[in-house]
Amino acid sequence: MLDIAEELHRWVEQGRDFAVATVVAVGGSAPRQPGAALAVDSDGTAIGSVSGGCVEGAVYELCQQALEDGTTVLESFGYSDEDAFAVGLTCGGIIDILVTPVRGGVFPAALAAAVSGEAAALARIVTGPEDLLGQALLVRPDGSYEGGLGGHPELDRTAAGEARAMLDAGRTGTVEIGADGSRCGQPVTLLVESSVPAPRMIVFGAIDFASALVRVGKFLGYHVTVCDARPVFATKLRFPDADEIVVEWPHRYLESTEVDGRTVLCVLTHDAKFDVPLLEIALRLPVAYVGAMGSRRTHEDRNKRLREVGVTELELARLRSPIGLDLGARTPEETALSIGAEIVANRRGGSGASLTGAHTPIHHDVPREPAGRIGSVA
Protein backbone atom coordinates (compact mmCIF):
# COMPACT_ATOMS: atom_id res chain seq x y z
CA MET A 1 0.00 0.00 0.00
CA LEU A 2 2.86 2.37 0.77
CA ASP A 3 3.95 2.24 -2.88
CA ILE A 4 0.91 4.37 -3.74
CA ALA A 5 0.99 6.32 -0.49
CA GLU A 6 1.14 9.82 -1.98
CA GLU A 7 -2.11 9.47 -3.93
CA LEU A 8 -3.84 7.63 -1.08
CA HIS A 9 -2.76 10.38 1.31
CA ARG A 10 -4.46 12.88 -0.97
CA TRP A 11 -7.60 10.74 -0.91
CA VAL A 12 -7.54 10.79 2.90
CA GLU A 13 -7.14 14.58 2.96
CA GLN A 14 -10.08 14.89 0.55
CA GLY A 15 -12.22 12.71 2.80
CA ARG A 16 -12.67 9.93 0.26
CA ASP A 17 -13.53 6.38 1.29
CA PHE A 18 -11.52 3.70 -0.45
CA ALA A 19 -10.55 0.04 -0.30
CA VAL A 20 -7.05 -1.35 -0.65
CA ALA A 21 -6.21 -4.77 -2.06
CA THR A 22 -2.74 -5.88 -0.96
CA VAL A 23 -0.69 -8.89 -2.03
CA VAL A 24 0.07 -10.77 1.19
CA ALA A 25 1.54 -14.05 -0.12
CA VAL A 26 2.85 -15.38 -3.41
CA GLY A 27 3.79 -18.73 -4.86
CA GLY A 28 5.39 -19.81 -8.11
CA SER A 29 6.07 -17.21 -10.78
CA ALA A 30 3.73 -14.54 -9.42
CA PRO A 31 4.29 -11.11 -11.01
CA ARG A 32 4.18 -8.97 -7.87
CA GLN A 33 5.55 -9.41 -4.35
CA PRO A 34 3.95 -8.95 -0.89
CA GLY A 35 3.07 -5.30 -0.35
CA ALA A 36 1.98 -4.58 -3.94
CA ALA A 37 -1.41 -2.88 -3.82
CA LEU A 38 -4.42 -1.74 -5.82
CA ALA A 39 -6.77 0.89 -4.36
CA VAL A 40 -10.27 1.83 -5.48
CA ASP A 41 -12.22 4.83 -4.17
CA SER A 42 -15.97 5.29 -3.87
CA ASP A 43 -16.10 6.95 -7.32
CA GLY A 44 -14.49 3.92 -8.94
CA THR A 45 -11.06 5.47 -9.48
CA ALA A 46 -8.30 2.86 -9.31
CA ILE A 47 -4.55 3.21 -8.74
CA GLY A 48 -1.78 0.67 -8.30
CA SER A 49 -1.55 -2.97 -9.33
CA VAL A 50 -1.49 -6.39 -7.70
CA SER A 51 -0.73 -8.64 -10.65
CA GLY A 52 0.42 -6.65 -13.65
CA GLY A 53 -3.01 -7.12 -15.23
CA CYS A 54 -3.91 -10.80 -14.74
CA VAL A 55 -6.51 -10.44 -11.99
CA GLU A 56 -6.97 -6.68 -11.76
CA GLY A 57 -10.61 -6.81 -12.88
CA ALA A 58 -11.64 -9.34 -10.25
CA VAL A 59 -9.73 -7.51 -7.52
CA TYR A 60 -11.33 -4.22 -8.57
CA GLU A 61 -14.75 -5.79 -8.00
CA LEU A 62 -13.66 -7.09 -4.58
CA CYS A 63 -12.63 -3.56 -3.61
CA GLN A 64 -16.00 -2.19 -4.68
CA GLN A 65 -17.75 -4.88 -2.64
CA ALA A 66 -15.59 -4.09 0.40
CA LEU A 67 -16.57 -0.44 0.11
CA GLU A 68 -20.24 -1.41 0.05
CA ASP A 69 -20.30 -3.84 2.97
CA GLY A 70 -17.28 -2.66 4.99
CA THR A 71 -15.90 -6.18 5.26
CA THR A 72 -12.27 -7.25 5.00
CA VAL A 73 -11.73 -10.39 2.90
CA LEU A 74 -8.80 -12.62 1.92
CA GLU A 75 -8.91 -14.11 -1.58
CA SER A 76 -6.54 -16.46 -3.41
CA PHE A 77 -5.93 -16.36 -7.18
CA GLY A 78 -4.07 -19.07 -9.06
CA TYR A 79 -3.75 -20.92 -12.32
CA SER A 80 -6.10 -23.60 -13.59
CA ASP A 81 -7.21 -24.75 -17.03
CA GLU A 82 -10.63 -23.21 -16.42
CA ASP A 83 -9.60 -19.79 -15.19
CA ALA A 84 -6.22 -19.26 -16.85
CA PHE A 85 -7.53 -16.73 -19.35
CA ALA A 86 -10.40 -15.44 -17.23
CA VAL A 87 -9.39 -14.60 -13.69
CA GLY A 88 -6.33 -16.75 -12.98
CA LEU A 89 -2.64 -16.04 -13.33
CA THR A 90 -1.48 -17.23 -16.74
CA CYS A 91 2.12 -17.17 -15.47
CA GLY A 92 1.31 -20.16 -13.26
CA GLY A 93 1.73 -18.37 -9.94
CA ILE A 94 -0.55 -18.03 -6.93
CA ILE A 95 -1.24 -14.84 -5.00
CA ASP A 96 -3.24 -14.20 -1.84
CA ILE A 97 -4.82 -10.76 -1.66
CA LEU A 98 -6.21 -8.99 1.39
CA VAL A 99 -8.96 -6.48 0.59
CA THR A 100 -9.58 -3.87 3.30
CA PRO A 101 -11.99 -0.91 3.36
CA VAL A 102 -10.21 2.17 4.74
CA ARG A 103 -12.28 4.48 6.90
CA GLY A 104 -9.88 5.72 9.53
CA GLY A 105 -7.82 3.63 11.94
CA VAL A 106 -4.05 3.74 11.63
CA PHE A 107 -4.02 3.82 7.83
CA PRO A 108 -3.98 7.63 7.49
CA ALA A 109 -1.05 7.83 9.93
CA ALA A 110 0.81 5.13 7.99
CA LEU A 111 0.27 6.98 4.72
CA ALA A 112 1.40 10.27 6.25
CA ALA A 113 4.59 8.59 7.52
CA ALA A 114 5.35 7.17 4.08
CA VAL A 115 4.78 10.49 2.32
CA SER A 116 6.99 12.39 4.76
CA GLY A 117 9.80 9.83 4.53
CA GLU A 118 9.39 8.90 8.19
CA ALA A 119 10.43 5.40 9.23
CA ALA A 120 7.41 3.33 10.28
CA ALA A 121 5.93 -0.13 9.76
CA LEU A 122 2.31 -1.08 9.19
CA ALA A 123 1.50 -4.56 10.53
CA ARG A 124 -1.78 -6.21 9.55
CA ILE A 125 -3.28 -9.61 10.37
CA VAL A 126 -3.70 -11.54 7.13
CA THR A 127 -4.47 -15.01 8.49
CA GLY A 128 -5.96 -16.03 11.80
CA PRO A 129 -9.33 -15.62 13.51
CA GLU A 130 -11.85 -14.15 11.08
CA ASP A 131 -12.77 -11.31 13.43
CA LEU A 132 -9.12 -10.16 13.52
CA LEU A 133 -8.52 -10.17 9.76
CA GLY A 134 -7.17 -6.81 8.61
CA GLN A 135 -6.61 -5.39 12.11
CA ALA A 136 -3.55 -3.15 12.06
CA LEU A 137 -0.76 -1.59 14.10
CA LEU A 138 1.52 1.30 13.13
CA VAL A 139 4.95 0.72 14.67
CA ARG A 140 7.67 3.35 15.10
CA PRO A 141 11.46 2.79 15.22
CA ASP A 142 11.49 3.28 19.00
CA GLY A 143 9.03 0.40 19.43
CA SER A 144 6.00 2.57 20.22
CA TYR A 145 2.83 1.78 18.32
CA GLU A 146 -0.71 2.89 17.72
CA GLY A 147 -3.80 1.00 16.69
CA GLY A 148 -4.59 -2.53 17.82
CA LEU A 149 -5.04 -6.09 16.67
CA GLY A 150 -8.43 -6.79 18.18
CA GLY A 151 -8.17 -6.16 21.89
CA HIS A 152 -5.31 -8.55 22.67
CA PRO A 153 -2.53 -6.57 24.43
CA GLU A 154 -0.08 -9.46 24.33
CA LEU A 155 -0.67 -9.89 20.60
CA ASP A 156 -0.10 -6.15 20.10
CA ARG A 157 3.19 -6.27 21.99
CA THR A 158 4.42 -9.37 20.19
CA ALA A 159 3.42 -7.99 16.80
CA ALA A 160 5.06 -4.64 17.53
CA GLY A 161 8.32 -6.39 18.39
CA GLU A 162 8.28 -8.41 15.16
CA ALA A 163 7.37 -5.37 13.09
CA ARG A 164 10.10 -3.27 14.67
CA ALA A 165 12.70 -5.92 13.77
CA MET A 166 11.54 -5.88 10.16
CA LEU A 167 11.49 -2.08 10.16
CA ASP A 168 15.08 -1.99 11.41
CA ALA A 169 16.04 -4.10 8.39
CA GLY A 170 13.80 -2.08 6.04
CA ARG A 171 11.96 -5.27 5.06
CA THR A 172 8.43 -5.92 3.88
CA GLY A 173 7.00 -9.41 4.19
CA THR A 174 5.03 -11.78 6.39
CA VAL A 175 5.79 -13.15 9.84
CA GLU A 176 3.94 -15.78 11.85
CA ILE A 177 3.14 -15.45 15.54
CA GLY A 178 2.39 -18.67 17.40
CA ALA A 179 -0.74 -19.29 19.42
CA ASP A 180 1.12 -18.62 22.68
CA GLY A 181 2.44 -15.29 21.44
CA SER A 182 -0.88 -14.26 19.97
CA ARG A 183 -2.94 -15.02 23.08
CA CYS A 184 -5.99 -15.36 20.84
CA GLY A 185 -6.23 -19.12 20.71
CA GLN A 186 -4.56 -19.76 17.35
CA PRO A 187 -1.57 -18.60 15.29
CA VAL A 188 -1.78 -15.45 13.20
CA THR A 189 0.19 -14.21 10.19
CA LEU A 190 1.16 -10.57 9.90
CA LEU A 191 1.98 -8.63 6.77
CA VAL A 192 4.54 -6.01 7.74
CA GLU A 193 5.08 -3.13 5.30
CA SER A 194 8.13 -1.04 6.12
CA SER A 195 8.37 2.59 5.08
CA VAL A 196 11.97 3.74 5.34
CA PRO A 197 14.04 6.55 3.81
CA ALA A 198 15.48 5.75 0.40
CA PRO A 199 18.76 3.77 0.48
CA ARG A 200 21.92 5.68 -0.36
CA MET A 201 24.06 5.46 -3.45
CA ILE A 202 27.36 7.31 -3.13
CA VAL A 203 29.20 7.88 -6.39
CA PHE A 204 32.86 8.80 -6.00
CA GLY A 205 34.39 10.58 -8.99
CA ALA A 206 32.67 13.43 -10.84
CA ILE A 207 33.22 12.06 -14.35
CA ASP A 208 30.88 11.67 -17.32
CA PHE A 209 30.16 8.05 -16.38
CA ALA A 210 29.06 9.30 -12.96
CA SER A 211 26.43 11.59 -14.49
CA ALA A 212 24.79 8.61 -16.22
CA LEU A 213 25.05 6.48 -13.07
CA VAL A 214 23.32 9.20 -11.04
CA ARG A 215 20.33 8.99 -13.37
CA VAL A 216 20.23 5.19 -13.10
CA GLY A 217 20.53 5.40 -9.31
CA LYS A 218 17.61 7.80 -9.08
CA PHE A 219 15.56 5.55 -11.38
CA LEU A 220 16.25 2.62 -9.02
CA GLY A 221 15.04 4.64 -6.04
CA TYR A 222 18.32 5.62 -4.38
CA HIS A 223 19.21 8.88 -2.64
CA VAL A 224 22.30 9.71 -4.72
CA THR A 225 25.37 11.61 -3.53
CA VAL A 226 28.28 12.57 -5.79
CA CYS A 227 31.61 13.12 -4.05
CA ASP A 228 34.83 14.45 -5.60
CA ALA A 229 37.75 16.46 -4.24
CA ARG A 230 37.82 18.72 -7.31
CA PRO A 231 35.34 21.62 -7.04
CA VAL A 232 35.54 22.43 -10.75
CA PHE A 233 33.99 19.05 -11.57
CA ALA A 234 31.69 18.44 -8.60
CA THR A 235 28.96 20.94 -9.50
CA LYS A 236 25.19 20.96 -9.64
CA LEU A 237 25.39 22.06 -13.26
CA ARG A 238 27.16 18.82 -14.19
CA PHE A 239 25.00 16.62 -11.92
CA PRO A 240 21.52 18.17 -11.84
CA ASP A 241 19.86 14.85 -10.89
CA ALA A 242 22.01 14.22 -7.80
CA ASP A 243 20.40 14.70 -4.39
CA GLU A 244 23.61 16.15 -3.00
CA ILE A 245 27.09 17.00 -4.21
CA VAL A 246 30.05 16.93 -1.84
CA VAL A 247 33.44 18.50 -2.50
CA GLU A 248 35.82 16.53 -0.30
CA TRP A 249 38.47 13.86 -0.47
CA PRO A 250 36.44 10.67 -0.92
CA HIS A 251 37.94 8.74 2.02
CA ARG A 252 37.42 11.67 4.38
CA TYR A 253 33.79 11.99 3.36
CA LEU A 254 33.17 8.26 3.74
CA GLU A 255 34.67 8.37 7.23
CA SER A 256 32.24 11.08 8.29
CA THR A 257 28.97 10.18 6.57
CA GLU A 258 26.29 7.69 7.62
CA VAL A 259 25.92 4.40 5.78
CA ASP A 260 23.96 1.23 6.46
CA GLY A 261 23.31 -2.24 5.13
CA ARG A 262 21.41 -0.86 2.12
CA THR A 263 24.08 1.63 0.99
CA VAL A 264 25.87 1.10 -2.33
CA LEU A 265 29.30 2.64 -2.99
CA CYS A 266 30.43 3.17 -6.58
CA VAL A 267 34.07 4.20 -6.98
CA LEU A 268 34.59 5.68 -10.45
CA THR A 269 37.77 7.69 -9.80
CA HIS A 270 40.16 4.91 -11.01
CA ASP A 271 43.05 6.91 -9.56
CA ALA A 272 45.17 5.19 -6.89
CA LYS A 273 45.55 8.29 -4.74
CA PHE A 274 41.75 8.39 -4.37
CA ASP A 275 40.89 4.71 -4.70
CA VAL A 276 43.20 3.07 -2.20
CA PRO A 277 42.41 5.11 0.94
CA LEU A 278 38.72 5.11 -0.01
CA LEU A 279 38.45 1.36 -0.60
CA GLU A 280 40.48 0.59 2.50
CA ILE A 281 37.61 2.11 4.47
CA ALA A 282 34.74 1.02 2.21
CA LEU A 283 35.59 -2.69 2.28
CA ARG A 284 35.36 -2.70 6.07
CA LEU A 285 31.94 -1.05 6.26
CA PRO A 286 28.65 -3.01 6.58
CA VAL A 287 27.30 -1.76 3.23
CA ALA A 288 25.40 -3.68 0.54
CA TYR A 289 27.75 -3.15 -2.39
CA VAL A 290 31.22 -1.80 -3.17
CA GLY A 291 32.24 -1.50 -6.82
CA ALA A 292 35.25 0.13 -8.45
CA MET A 293 35.82 1.16 -12.07
CA GLY A 294 38.98 0.40 -14.01
CA SER A 295 40.64 -1.93 -16.43
CA ARG A 296 41.81 -5.39 -15.40
CA ARG A 297 45.35 -4.00 -15.15
CA THR A 298 44.07 -1.22 -12.90
CA HIS A 299 42.20 -3.82 -10.86
CA GLU A 300 45.34 -5.93 -10.29
CA ASP A 301 47.44 -2.89 -9.37
CA ARG A 302 44.72 -1.60 -7.04
CA ASN A 303 44.41 -4.96 -5.29
CA LYS A 304 48.18 -5.07 -4.80
CA ARG A 305 48.14 -1.61 -3.22
CA LEU A 306 45.19 -2.54 -1.00
CA ARG A 307 47.00 -5.64 0.26
CA GLU A 308 50.01 -3.50 1.06
CA VAL A 309 47.93 -1.29 3.37
CA GLY A 310 46.50 -4.30 5.19
CA VAL A 311 43.26 -5.13 3.39
CA THR A 312 42.61 -8.85 3.82
CA GLU A 313 41.64 -11.36 1.13
CA LEU A 314 38.23 -11.73 2.74
CA GLU A 315 37.71 -7.96 2.54
CA LEU A 316 38.97 -7.87 -1.05
CA ALA A 317 36.44 -10.56 -1.98
CA ARG A 318 33.67 -8.01 -1.35
CA LEU A 319 34.96 -5.71 -4.09
CA ARG A 320 33.11 -5.75 -7.43
CA SER A 321 35.90 -4.86 -9.83
CA PRO A 322 35.88 -4.19 -12.69
CA ILE A 323 32.50 -2.73 -11.80
CA GLY A 324 29.29 -3.84 -13.54
CA LEU A 325 27.97 -6.83 -15.47
CA ASP A 326 29.36 -7.89 -18.84
CA LEU A 327 27.00 -6.16 -21.27
CA GLY A 328 29.70 -5.10 -23.72
CA ALA A 329 29.02 -1.53 -22.55
CA ARG A 330 30.88 1.35 -24.18
CA THR A 331 29.04 4.62 -23.57
CA PRO A 332 28.50 6.22 -20.13
CA GLU A 333 24.82 5.30 -20.31
CA GLU A 334 25.53 1.67 -21.21
CA THR A 335 28.15 1.46 -18.46
CA ALA A 336 25.74 2.94 -15.94
CA LEU A 337 23.16 0.34 -16.98
CA SER A 338 25.68 -2.47 -16.41
CA ILE A 339 26.51 -1.10 -12.95
CA GLY A 340 22.84 -0.71 -12.07
CA ALA A 341 22.17 -4.26 -13.26
CA GLU A 342 24.93 -5.62 -11.03
CA ILE A 343 23.56 -3.70 -8.05
CA VAL A 344 20.09 -5.16 -8.63
CA ALA A 345 21.50 -8.69 -9.07
CA ASN A 346 23.44 -8.31 -5.84
CA ARG A 347 20.38 -6.93 -4.06
CA ARG A 348 17.96 -9.60 -5.26
CA GLY A 349 20.25 -12.61 -5.43
CA GLY A 350 20.27 -12.87 -9.22
CA SER A 351 23.04 -14.45 -11.27
CA GLY A 352 23.19 -11.85 -14.04
CA ALA A 353 22.93 -14.64 -16.63
CA SER A 354 20.52 -14.51 -19.56
CA LEU A 355 17.11 -16.00 -18.77
CA THR A 356 16.87 -17.47 -22.27
CA GLY A 357 17.47 -21.21 -22.00
CA ALA A 358 18.12 -21.00 -18.27
CA HIS A 359 16.36 -23.02 -15.60
CA THR A 360 16.82 -20.48 -12.82
CA PRO A 361 13.90 -18.60 -11.21
CA ILE A 362 12.84 -15.33 -12.82
CA HIS A 363 11.97 -13.85 -9.43
CA HIS A 364 14.30 -14.67 -6.56
CA ASP A 365 12.77 -15.21 -3.13
CA VAL A 366 15.63 -13.98 -0.97
CA PRO A 367 16.66 -10.36 -1.58
CA ARG A 368 20.07 -9.11 -0.51
CA GLU A 369 19.07 -5.54 0.32
CA PRO A 370 15.91 -3.80 1.56
CA ALA A 371 14.11 -1.48 -0.70
CA GLY A 372 13.73 2.21 -0.26
CA ARG A 373 10.14 2.77 0.57
CA ILE A 374 8.53 -0.59 0.28
CA GLY A 375 9.46 -3.69 -1.46
CA SER A 376 9.32 -7.29 -1.48
CA VAL A 377 12.25 -7.11 0.25
CA ALA A 378 11.39 -8.82 1.24
Side-chain angles (χ1 to χ4, degrees), residues 108-144:
L111 295 171
V115 170
S116 66
E118 176 187 353
L122 180 65
R124 287 185 278 170
I125 294 179
V126 296
T127 67
E130 188 173 339
D131 62 324
L132 299 185
L133 196 65
Q135 297 294 319
L137 281 179
L138 181 65
V139 182
R140 309 286 182 181
D142 62 2
S144 63

Side-chain angles (χ1 to χ4, degrees), residues 305-316:
R305 293 171 183 267
L306 287 169
R307 291 186 182 99
E308 289 172 351
V309 297
V311 176
T312 68
E313 295 302 316
L314 187 61
E315 290 166 342
L316 274 177

Side-chain angles (χ1 to χ4, degrees), residues 164-351:
R164 182 184 180 187
M166 293 185 72
L167 176 61
D168 287 344
R171 295 186 59 237
T172 284
T174 56
V175 59
E176 293 187 2
I177 299 177
D180 290 342
S182 73
R183 294 291 190 271
C184 63
Q186 67 183 83
V188 300
T189 302
L190 298 175
L191 171 67
V192 179
E193 299 176 83
S194 293
S195 171
V196 293
R200 296 192 68 189
M201 172 186 282
I202 308 178
V203 180
F204 297 97
I207 63 176
D208 51 353
F209 289 90
S211 181
L213 183 56
V214 167
R215 295 195 297 274
V216 168
K218 292 298 296 178
F219 179 75
L220 292 176
Y222 286 93
H223 178 96
V224 183
T225 299
V226 175
C227 175
D228 196 296
R230 303 165 298 177
V232 67
F233 294 112
T235 66
K236 190 65 177 176
L237 182 63
R238 297 189 71 225
F239 299 96
D241 298 306
D243 293 291
E244 57 182 341
I245 298 169
V246 176
V247 179
E248 178 59 278
W249 277 76
H251 71 283
R252 291 175 184 167
Y253 176 66
L254 188 56
E255 283 179 321
S256 63
T257 193
E258 291 187 9
V259 298
D260 61 24
R262 302 180 299 146
T263 302
V264 300
L265 306 177
C266 301
V267 180
L268 309 187
T269 48
H270 54 84
D271 183 329
K273 68 176 177 291
F274 293 116
D275 289 1
V276 173
L278 172 61
L279 289 171
E280 183 183 2
I281 297 169
L283 292 172
R284 292 167 177 163
L285 292 174
V287 295
Y289 173 93
V290 182
M293 177 176 277
S295 66
R296 297 197 183 279
R297 175 181 291 181
T298 298
H299 167 76
E300 294 300 330
D301 178 69
R302 186 165 50 212
N303 278 6
K304 177 183 176 182
R305 293 171 183 267
L306 287 169
R307 291 186 182 99
E308 289 172 351
V309 297
V311 176
T312 68
E313 295 302 316
L314 187 61
E315 290 166 342
L316 274 177
R318 298 184 60 208
L319 178 60
R320 302 294 183 125
S321 173
I323 195 170
L325 297 184
D326 179 13
L327 304 184
R330 291 280 185 178
T331 68
E333 289 75 18
E334 291 172 347
T335 302
L337 179 62
S338 79
I339 296 170
E342 184 174 61
I343 290 169
V344 172
N346 181 70
R347 169 180 171 177
R348 300 298 188 189
S351 67

